């Protein structure tokens, strides 16, 4: 049995990835499962989804804790989520990254590491940072748990004609551009996840250790203490950040009103600077700003 775990963010299509892969396996006469595991069900929040594929009926119904393959849809997850947790020594790690796979050599004895600039392909072809089908292209290139034609058929079944064509184009580009490192050919090095991307911008970086954990919540998950949202640093969910052009800002406050994470406050000059500890990078402020004063920029990966 092949067990595959996807790490993404709410809105990036991690759940759809697992479902498309399972659908492709089913069309090949295999047995398959696909299911998600959510934390906070919000755009930008870390999401995990799972897929099992086997020639025989699958009776397991648990989350996948020792995957054969891990796919990381967003490189910013590397600084907050232990994506290789439980990954088998014979396993494969596939990451959305502008870096080559050698940058992610882990002291685990993995079988393969692969990278593809899925965000770049998504922005170029889809016009937005939805990387799920693109990572499937990298998966087929690296391991091929199903045929490329089975995945494209699943995409055609799932999306309308226009979106299916765009997603298949993006998937095929990822298939061509995926860089693969066969680990048995490569000397083991120290874990290099320590140089994962740092928060960008003028504000202090996110401090993940300051986050409250779900296990600390009261029974029923009621949070009764006032002002508690300050302890939830949703800035760790961000892969794009807003940049303000003060020359175009008319101080209308629409960004402040509409930001779902209250990341804006007004300063003494009447401008609205963003606190990147809380900005989750959804882009609503940039979309709604009437003068186009806000531009969303991709977080830089360290060392690129
Ligand atoms: S919405 Fe745009 S113009 Fe209005 S305060 Fe925010 S940045 Fe300035
Ligand atoms: S609305 Fe803007 S500031 Fe608020 S979370 Fe979204 S991107 Fe960040």
């Amino acid at each position: 049995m092949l067990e595959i775990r996807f790490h993404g963010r709410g809105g990036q299509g991690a759940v759809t990835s697992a479902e498309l892969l399972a659908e492709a396996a089913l069309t090949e006469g295999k047995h398959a499962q696909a299911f998600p595991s959510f934390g906070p069900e919000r755009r930008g929040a870390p999401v995990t989804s799972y897929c099992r594929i086997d020639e025989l009926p699958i009776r397991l119904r648990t989350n996948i804790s020792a995957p054969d393959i891990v796919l990381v849809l967003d490189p910013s997850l590397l600084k907050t989520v232990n994506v290789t947790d439980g990954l088998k020594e014979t396993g494969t790690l596939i990451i959305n990254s502008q870096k080559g796979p050698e940058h992610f050599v882990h002291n685990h004895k993995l079988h393969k590491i692969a990278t593809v600039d899925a965000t770049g392909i998504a922005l170029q072809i889809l016009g937005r940072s939805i990387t799920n089908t693109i990572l499937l292209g990298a998966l087929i290139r690296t391991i091929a748990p199903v045929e490329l034609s089975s995945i494209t058929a699943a995409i055609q079944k799932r999306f309308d004609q226009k979106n299916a064509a765009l997603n298949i184009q993006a998937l095929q580009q990822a298939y061509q551009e995926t860089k693969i490192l066969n680990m048995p050919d490569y000397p083991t090095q120290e874990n290099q996840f320590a140089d994962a991307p740092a928060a960008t911008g003028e504000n202090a970086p996110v401090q993940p250790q300051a986050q409250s954990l779900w296990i600390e919540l009261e029974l029923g998950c009621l949070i009764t203490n006032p002002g508690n949202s300050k302890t939830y640093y949703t800035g760790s969910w961000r892969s794009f950040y807003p940049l303000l052009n003060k020359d175009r800002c008319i101080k209308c406050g629409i960004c402040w009103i509409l930001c779902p994470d209250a990341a804006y406050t007004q300063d003494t000059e009447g401008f609205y600077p963003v606190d990147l500890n809380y900005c989750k990078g959804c882009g609503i402020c940039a979309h709604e700003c009437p003068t186009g004063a806000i531009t969303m920029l991709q977080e830089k990966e360290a060392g690129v």
Side-chain angles (χ1 to χ4, degrees):
M1 179 162 53
L2 199 60
E3 295 188 299
I4 302 159
R5 192 170 69 205
F6 297 80
H7 291 277
R9 295 192 176 282
Q12 289 179 332
V15 180
T16 306
S17 292
E19 290 173 354
L20 287 170
L21 187 56
E23 175 77 30
L26 291 171
T27 62
E28 294 181 0
K30 296 171 181 161
H31 296 267
Q33 290 176 347
F35 53 97
S37 170
F38 294 106
E41 285 200 55
R42 297 175 57 193
R43 193 172 189 85
V47 170
T48 310
S49 62
Y50 309 93
C51 180
R52 286 192 176 96
I53 300 173
D54 202 351
E55 302 292 338
L56 300 171
I58 302 168
R59 295 203 165 80
L60 275 174
R61 290 289 186 272
T62 59
N63 289 356
I64 294 172
S65 55
D68 300 285
I69 304 170
V70 165
L71 290 100
V72 183
L73 276 64
D74 189 318
S76 67
L77 287 164
L78 297 175
K79 59 186 174 182
T80 52
V81 177
N82 182 9
V83 296
T84 57
D85 187 29
L87 181 58
K88 290 175 184 160
E89 287 196 352
T90 53
T92 293
L93 178 63
I94 302 173
I95 304 175
N96 167 15
S97 175
Q98 297 170 341
K99 297 178 180 179
E102 64 279 4
H103 289 275
F104 298 98
V105 171
H106 196 275
N107 50 15
H108 289 177
K109 290 176 183 163
L110 298 178
H111 181 52
K112 289 184 181 184
I113 299 178
T115 59
V116 64
D117 180 13
T119 302
I121 295 172
L123 293 175
Q124 177 196 337
I125 296 177
L126 306 178
R128 54 195 182 137
S129 177
I130 308 282
T131 54
N132 57 347
T133 50
I134 299 167
L135 263 289
L136 289 176
L139 172 67
I140 305 298
R141 176 71 186 276
T142 310
I143 293 288
V146 295
E147 298 293 326
L148 190 59
S149 58
S150 303
I151 282 285
T152 56
I155 290 173
Q156 282 165 333
K157 188 173 169 186
R158 175 90 176 215
F159 299 115
D160 63 41
Q161 200 173 5
K162 181 183 167 203
N163 280 314
L166 289 172
N167 276 279
I168 289 170
Q169 183 188 346
L171 177 144
Q172 287 172 335
Q173 185 168 331
Y175 182 87
Q176 297 297 335
E177 295 181 2
T178 298
K179 303 183 191 99
I180 303 167
L181 187 66
N182 291 307
M183 290 296 288
D185 305 335
Y186 199 82
T188 303
Q189 294 186 351
E190 290 301 308
N191 178 4
Q192 295 186 10
F193 284 122
D195 77 347
T200 311
E202 58 189 296
N203 293 293
V206 170
Q207 302 295 324
Q209 68 272 21
Q211 289 177 289
S212 300
L213 303 175
W214 67 268
I215 205 162
E216 298 165 359
L217 299 180
E218 295 174 27
L219 275 180
C221 295
L222 291 173
I223 309 174
T224 50
N225 55 314
N228 64 77
S229 62
K230 264 189 110 56
T231 64
Y232 294 88
Y233 284 170
T234 44
S236 67
W237 299 357
R238 186 183 59 248
S239 45
F240 287 78
Y241 68 96
L243 185 70
L244 173 66
N245 178 352
K246 283 187 174 178
D247 293 339
R248 301 187 73 162
C249 177
I250 57 173
K251 304 178 182 175
C252 66
I254 287 175
C255 53
W256 170 69
I257 293 168
L258 295 182
C259 173
D261 280 75
Y264 284 107
T265 50
Q266 194 176 34
D267 67 16
T268 52
E269 295 176 58
F271 289 110
Y272 292 87
V274 66
D275 185 340
L276 290 177
N277 282 304
Y278 301 103
C279 167
K280 64 178 182 177
C282 66
I284 289 173
C285 54
H287 188 266
E288 298 297 337
C289 173
T291 63
I294 301 171
T295 308
M296 297 303 293
L297 299 177
Q298 190 177 354
E299 295 276 349
K300 293 276 187 296
E301 288 187 57
V304 173

